[in-house]
Amino acid sequence: MDGNNNKKQYMIAVVPGDGIGPEVCAAAVQVVKAATRGCSQLTFSEFEAGANCYERCGDAFPVDSQQACLDADAVLHGAAGLPGVLYPDGTEAGQDFSMKIRASLDLYANVRPIRLIEGVDSPLKRFGPGDIDYVFVRENTEGMYAARSGGNLLHDEIASDTMIITRAGTERVVRKAAELARQRNGAPRDGKRRVTIVDKSNVLRSFAFFRRVAEETLADYPDIEIDYAIVDAMTVHMVERPDSFDVIVCENLLGDILSDLGAATIGGLGMAASGEMGDRHGYFQASHGTAPDIAGKGIANPLATILSGAMMLDWLGSRHDDAPLTRAGEKIRTAVGRVLTEGQSVTGDLAGSASTVQCADAVCAALDG
Ligand code: ATP
């Protein structure tokens, strides 16, 4: 497709979900629509999944929603899961949606940018905007979470879940990390393109294998520096020297936990975007969950989901060689930057007093500013 073909049509499956999901999702749809007006044609259709859906129909990811997500050009999601809505085994029904969509769309790379934006105060006082700018590439289809629904509970005395690490699964996510590093400008501290492999290889054979396969894979990328960290030490490095990271690759559960810590360093979960990608499908939602404590109050920070919407446009733009769409993603990030710098229209988690809707309106207004 060339630059003239700027009216390409895309079908976006929207899954609002539970808790604050519908609120932040509506904000993201509003902003994505405004940013793409006049360039590509995006059609948004809503589908049900998650905890409320499970309560209503006994299925957290009904077949018609599954098919719609498979058929869509991309999926935009709010958040799913409610603490009290459980399967008989005690796990959350709504969380099953995320697990199932990752498996059925083979979304093996969960890309979570950790970027401190001007206007947001980091609790890491030595670091300002530009100092924290790295990306997690979390393996998203295997690891510890592959055991979901497959663990054992024996006689109510012994429980076990098995971690799955495969050569193929590790190679492909590490390649994704290396390719991402090639598109970036390196770590803020020294400008070096670097992939940090995070694991617990000093204790578990599965992690030692992950590290070895990652290292072998990165041998194909001599321009990228290889760096290693054991996960417990990594929590300290992320606080003490976040500027030394560029791209971080790790197993699923470790990535889930570490990326929340990363989010805390850039303004909290309300700022942490996320995109889950395979070779054919993309699924975009904030890193945060459904935040039931603030759901329905209209005070959730929509910026993480809005920035995830921008990631969706980047991904679609690059996949379909659609430059106007890529520019629309960039426009959203610039507008979010303006709203944060100006500071009047941010939500309570960023020490403001704006509502979710006011914040989204301000981003839309800033798109052409
Ligand atoms: P999950 O395991 O599903 O990812 P979680 O247990 O990490 O969920 P979240 O739902 O992400 O929990 O929320 C943790 C807390 O962070 C919430 O109680 C809420 O106070 C805050 N939070 C999360 N997202 C937002 C947001 N968009 N705006 C404001 N506060 C948020």
Side-chain angles (χ1 to χ4, degrees), residues 20 24 79-81 92 95 112 256 260 268-271 286-294 299-305 347-349:
I20 61 168
V24 293
E92 262 188 43
Q95 293 276 348
R112 294 185 159 188
D256 191 8
D260 268 21
L269 284 168
M271 291 303 301
S287 294
H288 62 71
T290 53
D293 54 330
I294 56 167
I299 58 169
N301 183 351
L303 295 179
T305 311
T347 46
D349 56 318

Side-chain angles (χ1 to χ4, degrees), residues 133 180-188 190-194 246:
D133 185 356
L180 195 55
R182 279 191 169 158
Q183 292 161 22
R184 292 171 44 85
N185 299 318
D190 56 12
K192 285 204 176 140
R193 295 202 163 97
R194 175 177 294 126
D246 179 15

Side-chain angles (χ1 to χ4, degrees), residues 16-360:
D18 312 305
I20 61 168
E23 302 165 48
V24 293
C25 200
V29 169
Q30 179 193 346
V31 172
V32 168
K33 275 185 182 167
T36 54
R37 202 163 289 137
C39 62
S40 303
Q41 190 77 44
L42 273 69
T43 309
F44 298 83
S45 307
E46 279 195 16
F47 298 92
E48 211 187 357
N52 290 323
C53 177
Y54 174 71
E55 282 201 310
R56 195 187 59 74
C57 70
D59 193 344
F61 193 19
V63 176
D64 58 336
S65 299
Q66 284 188 41
Q67 194 55 51
C69 290
L70 274 167
D71 293 343
D73 291 292
V75 182
L76 185 60
H77 175 49
L82 291 172
V85 182
L86 305 176
Y87 283 149
D89 69 0
T91 61
E92 262 188 43
Q95 293 276 348
D96 208 27
F97 161 62
S98 293
M99 300 297 157
K100 280 189 171 146
I101 196 171
R102 286 166 184 161
S104 58
L105 273 57
D106 198 22
L107 305 165
Y108 62 84
N110 187 338
V111 176
R112 294 185 159 188
I114 304 295
R115 191 166 67 94
L116 182 60
I117 305 176
E118 184 87 49
V120 177
D121 262 345
S122 171
L124 307 183
K125 291 298 171 209
R126 287 193 290 121
F127 301 95
D131 294 334
I132 306 179
D133 185 356
Y134 59 89
V135 183
F136 273 102
V137 180
R138 160 188 170 189
E139 202 296 320
N140 211 35
T141 50
E142 44 183 62
M144 200 67 232
Y145 291 167
R148 182 155 171 102
S149 312
N152 280 307
L153 175 59
L154 295 177
H155 314 302
D156 215 24
E157 293 293 339
I158 304 170
S160 68
D161 289 301
T162 305
M163 179 155 66
I164 305 295
I165 303 285
T166 68
R167 177 176 289 279
T170 305
E171 275 177 6
R172 66 180 184 171
V173 77
V174 172
R175 283 196 191 286
K176 180 82 183 176
E179 276 149 26
L180 195 55
R182 279 191 169 158
Q183 292 161 22
R184 292 171 44 85
N185 299 318
R189 178 181 282 202
D190 56 12
K192 285 204 176 140
R193 295 202 163 97
R194 175 177 294 126
V195 171
T196 303
I197 306 163
V198 181
D199 53 53
K200 192 74 187 174
S201 55
N202 52 344
V203 175
L204 293 180
R205 188 171 285 176
S206 50
F207 279 128
F209 179 63
F210 181 86
R211 178 177 287 209
R212 181 159 57 79
V213 173
E215 197 174 33
E216 286 167 11
T217 307
L218 287 170
D220 289 345
Y221 301 84
D223 48 320
I224 310 284
E225 185 179 288
I226 309 181
D227 179 36
Y228 307 91
I230 298 294
V231 64
D232 36 354
M234 186 64 181
T235 60
V236 178
H237 302 329
M238 285 169 62
V239 170
E240 290 187 341
R241 53 173 178 88
D243 55 337
S244 66
F245 297 111
D246 179 15
V247 177
I248 297 166
V249 69
C250 58
E251 177 273 339
N252 205 338
L253 170 66
L254 301 191
D256 191 8
I257 298 168
L258 287 178
S259 59
D260 268 21
L261 170 59
T265 67
I266 56 154
L269 284 168
M271 291 303 301
S274 168
E276 307 182 31
M277 302 153 202
D279 292 329
R280 289 184 300 135
H281 298 279
Y283 164 65
F284 300 84
Q285 60 166 326
S287 294
H288 62 71
T290 53
D293 54 330
I294 56 167
K297 296 181 179 164
I299 58 169
N301 183 351
L303 295 179
T305 311
I306 289 171
L307 291 168
S308 304
M311 287 179 75
M312 177 179 81
L313 298 183
D314 293 341
W315 181 79
L316 282 170
S318 115
R319 189 171 158 72
H320 298 282
D321 198 15
D322 186 341
L325 213 53
T326 308
R327 280 198 294 277
E330 197 47 53
K331 230 167 83 171
I332 292 177
R333 274 187 292 275
T334 306
V336 167
R338 284 192 186 117
V339 168
L340 288 166
T341 312
E342 179 260 348
Q344 294 299 306
S345 305
V346 296
T347 46
D349 56 318
L350 296 179
S353 58
S355 67
T356 308
V357 169
Q358 286 167 335
C359 181

